[in-house]
Amino acid sequence: MSNTPLPQKLTSLPYQLLVLNSGSSSLKFALYVIGDREELWLSGKLTRIGLTDGHFTRTVGAHQTQMIHCNLPDHTTALTVLFDWLHEQPDLRLNAVGHRLVHGGSLYKTPQPVTPRLIADLRLLIPFAPDHLPAEIGLIEAIGGLYPDLLQVACFDTAFHQTMPEVAKRLPIPRHLADEGVARYGFHGLSYEYVMSQLAEKAGWATANGRLLLAHLGNGASMTAVRQGESIDTTMGFTPAGGLMMGTRSGDLDPGVLLYLLAHGYADAAALSHLLNDESGLTGVSDISSDMEELLEQVPHSPHAAEAIDLFCYLARKQLGGLIMVLNGLDTLVFTGGIGENSPAIRAAICKNLDFFGIVIDPQRNEANAEIISPEGHKPEVRVIPTNEERMIACHTRQVLMATTQPVSEPMVTN
């Protein structure tokens, strides 16, 4: 891999932005060409990082997706594999890299250019997100080592929820713990930002400034109450493990359950973390899978699959009702995320018998995954809006890039 940066000031369009979205065992990427708008050029993901049978899936434009098997022992190796492939692409001239950072604490409310100070602040936040931040910081530092003059931008998943009032952020624990930063932060913020931008574009600012309930339902799941364009409460809390039942995460639990587990075989934080983040949720209740589509197919044959789905929808309905109370009513309900966008059965089950809130779904529109799935002219309106965290990161990175006065580099690429 060439690691010789070619410093060059950004003088004209188009330019290229690489977006990296790192998970604990995955790395999603998207390369955008920026002109009048963001145009996706390359995309894909590296999965099963840390295992010997890693997967590298990539798509060029609208071309057919390809997958290869490779050894991905860590995120640094995954990054090397990615950049080796990127360097094979013609006309590659990167201007900046945008990163999804799961946690920005209470300090960072907007996307930021990466600096040594920011890295130092992120290291202090590692105890808040030990499964995510180390890999994310490692990627930033690895790219910085290869291309020290290349602008990198940190986009924080917690930033969208900085507008929550203090009563929504505070946990009922001793004040000295709150002073250490133990509070409710909320996550999925980049997804919610994108959905809000799409809602404003599709329905107008008057709708986007109303009383909104946004439901990001996927392997990770959360709901957020938005009023006048600002987050006022959300289901996730101190970590992304809180709130709704998810694919492999438990969501909210009685603290006594944790005490019981500590006294009966789960002797440390690592064991508890594995149980609550990797073995619970849909996976734990069904004893089959974390994949909602697979569980729906298994319902005729497995009572455990049916029970997992029923519990997921029941708990989602409870959280939905609570957030409507926080909003003092509801104007628009939006479903997004892999399940929210693609599963009519789950949307229908969550909204069943909620007509006392005014929530009604048109069965035909719902089955068709229509943009609006409530009856024509009905209020509150129920919508389905596909999310795109990578495009939101690209938008933020573009804004920081255009605002910076520093030289912007292009890695020298040999094709």
Side-chain angles (χ1 to χ4, degrees):
M1 181 194 305
S2 169
N3 62 358
T4 305
L6 180 61
Q8 179 174 320
K9 284 190 176 181
L10 184 68
T11 56
S12 63
L13 299 174
Y15 50 94
Q16 298 173 8
L17 303 179
L18 177 64
V19 170
L20 296 178
N21 188 341
S22 175
S24 57
S25 61
S26 65
L27 175 61
K28 293 194 290 186
F29 68 91
L31 183 63
Y32 289 89
V33 177
I34 308 296
D36 295 331
R37 58 187 179 87
E38 299 91 9
E39 180 180 349
L40 182 63
W41 176 20
L42 309 170
S43 63
K45 57 185 177 181
L46 296 101
T47 55
R48 299 180 63 80
I49 297 173
L51 304 174
T52 56
D53 56 339
H55 297 161
F56 181 19
T57 306
R58 64 271 185 105
T59 303
V60 179
H63 296 168
Q64 185 175 0
T65 298
Q66 298 177 332
M67 186 184 77
I68 63 171
H69 297 272
C70 51
N71 184 23
L72 302 173
D74 51 44
H75 281 74
T76 301
T77 303
L79 185 70
T80 300
V81 170
L82 171 59
F83 268 80
D84 284 345
W85 179 68
L86 290 177
H87 282 216
E88 297 173 3
Q89 309 308 311
D91 303 319
L92 178 70
R93 296 291 185 270
L94 284 184
N95 298 108
V97 179
H99 298 265
R100 170 183 172 264
L101 274 296
V102 71
H103 219 304
S106 59
L107 181 61
Y108 292 107
K109 301 181 181 181
T110 58
Q112 300 289 322
V114 171
T115 63
R117 171 63 182 273
L118 183 137
I119 293 292
D121 288 340
L122 291 178
R123 290 194 182 283
L124 295 177
L125 291 173
I126 286 177
F128 290 5
D131 293 333
H132 295 85
L133 278 178
E136 293 166 358
I137 294 170
L139 281 179
I140 291 173
E141 292 182 325
I143 293 174
L146 292 168
Y147 306 109
D149 295 320
L150 182 63
L151 174 68
Q152 298 190 72
V153 177
C155 303
F156 302 99
D157 227 9
T158 49
F160 182 73
H161 303 290
Q162 290 285 332
T163 55
M164 291 195 306
E166 181 63 26
V167 69
K169 294 179 181 179
R170 182 168 289 277
L171 293 170
I173 54 176
R175 298 194 71 88
H176 70 88
L177 292 174
D179 293 340
E180 294 174 14
V182 182
R184 298 182 68 248
Y185 290 95
F187 300 88
H188 284 148
L190 292 164
S191 173
Y192 290 131
E193 277 190 272
Y194 182 80
V195 168
M196 286 294 295
S197 72
Q198 292 300 293
L199 182 62
E201 180 179 313
K202 296 174 184 295
W205 284 107
T207 297
N209 281 330
R211 296 169 298 178
L212 314 176
L213 202 161
L214 311 181
H216 178 114
L217 306 180
N219 191 53
S222 69
M223 292 182 179
T224 291
V226 177
R227 187 169 56 211
Q228 295 183 336
E230 295 185 343
S231 171
I232 61 170
D233 206 345
T234 188
T235 56
M236 284 181 171
F238 179 57
T239 73
L244 300 175
M245 173 182 175
M246 305 178 219
T248 61
R249 300 173 189 161
S250 66
D252 287 348
L253 285 177
D254 175 351
V257 174
L258 304 184
L259 297 176
Y260 172 85
L261 294 173
L262 285 171
H264 293 83
Y266 292 87
D268 57 32
L272 273 180
S273 176
H274 182 67
L275 174 72
L276 301 178
N277 287 299
D278 303 315
E279 298 182 331
S280 297
L282 293 172
T283 293
V285 177
S286 71
D287 204 23
I288 296 173
S289 174
S290 64
D291 184 84
M292 183 63 80
E293 185 176 359
E294 181 179 350
L295 293 179
L296 286 167
E297 292 172 354
Q298 290 293 321
V299 165
H301 317 291
S302 170
H304 290 169
E307 189 174 27
I309 293 169
D310 287 346
L311 183 59
F312 178 89
C313 296
Y314 173 76
L315 294 174
R317 285 160 56 83
K318 285 179 65 176
Q319 296 275 14
L320 181 150
L323 290 176
I324 291 177
M325 296 298 103
V326 170
L327 287 165
N328 295 322
L330 181 67
D331 299 315
T332 306
L333 168 62
V334 179
F335 286 99
T336 191
I339 297 172
E341 295 166 24
N342 301 304
S343 182
I346 299 304
R347 293 194 299 259
I350 291 174
C351 294
K352 184 178 180 180
N353 296 328
L354 293 183
D355 51 313
F356 63 93
F357 281 137
I359 297 173
V360 177
I361 284 183
D362 181 298
Q364 291 181 324
R365 291 183 172 196
N366 187 41
E367 285 297 325
N369 288 322
E371 183 178 316
I372 299 174
I373 60 173
S374 50
E376 181 72 29
H378 186 81
K379 296 294 181 181
E381 199 169 61
V382 184
R383 287 178 170 263
V384 178
I385 299 180
T387 192
N388 193 328
E389 292 171 312
E390 286 74 30
R391 188 174 289 276
M392 194 71 244
I393 296 169
C395 179
H396 284 317
T397 303
R398 175 183 186 174
Q399 291 170 345
V400 173
L401 177 62
M402 298 305 292
T404 184
T405 58
Q406 298 300 314
V408 178
S409 68
E410 300 181 6
M412 184 179 296
V413 178
T414 302
N415 292 310

